[in-house]
Amino acid sequence: MTDPTFLILASLADGDKHGYAMMEDIEKFAGVRLGPGTLYGAITRMEERGWIRPASARDRRQPYTLTGAGRQYLEEQVASLDQVVKSAQRRLRHA
């Protein structure tokens, strides 16, 4: 899974993070390195959709937080992905 939106929402699911922290977290759990343009473009789109919002900053780096709508969207995507994975697993067992 390399969809930046999914990866960013998954990263924020366990707490607020600024851009660089998200990039590091995503690389750690997904093995995907998002470039700054990809990351911040996705952040802008997700803010516009109401899935994330800026959190209070303690320094110059801007952290983001997952909104209720963002959590719901992530849960829907995880459930959909789970169905695909289960189907693939069944098919592999019967191949």
Side-chain angles (χ1 to χ4, degrees), residues 12 20 27 31 33 41 44 46-47 54 62 65 70 73 90:
L12 292 175
Y20 184 76
E27 186 169 19
R33 181 74 178 175
T44 299
M46 288 187 288
E47 276 190 274
Q62 176 61 64
T65 191
Y73 178 78
R90 280 193 304 273

Side-chain angles (χ1 to χ4, degrees), residues 21-65:
M22 281 187 259
M23 288 170 55
E24 293 295 307
D25 184 46
I26 291 165
E27 186 169 19
K28 183 178 177 183
F29 78 76
V32 174
R33 181 74 178 175
L34 296 180
T38 300
L39 178 77
Y40 289 104
I43 285 172
T44 299
R45 289 188 300 278
M46 288 187 288
E47 276 190 274
E48 290 169 352
R49 292 176 181 150
W51 294 342
I52 66 172
R53 63 178 163 71
S56 57
R58 286 185 239 138
D59 58 22
R60 64 181 186 82
R61 296 177 290 190
Q62 176 61 64
Y64 294 89
T65 191

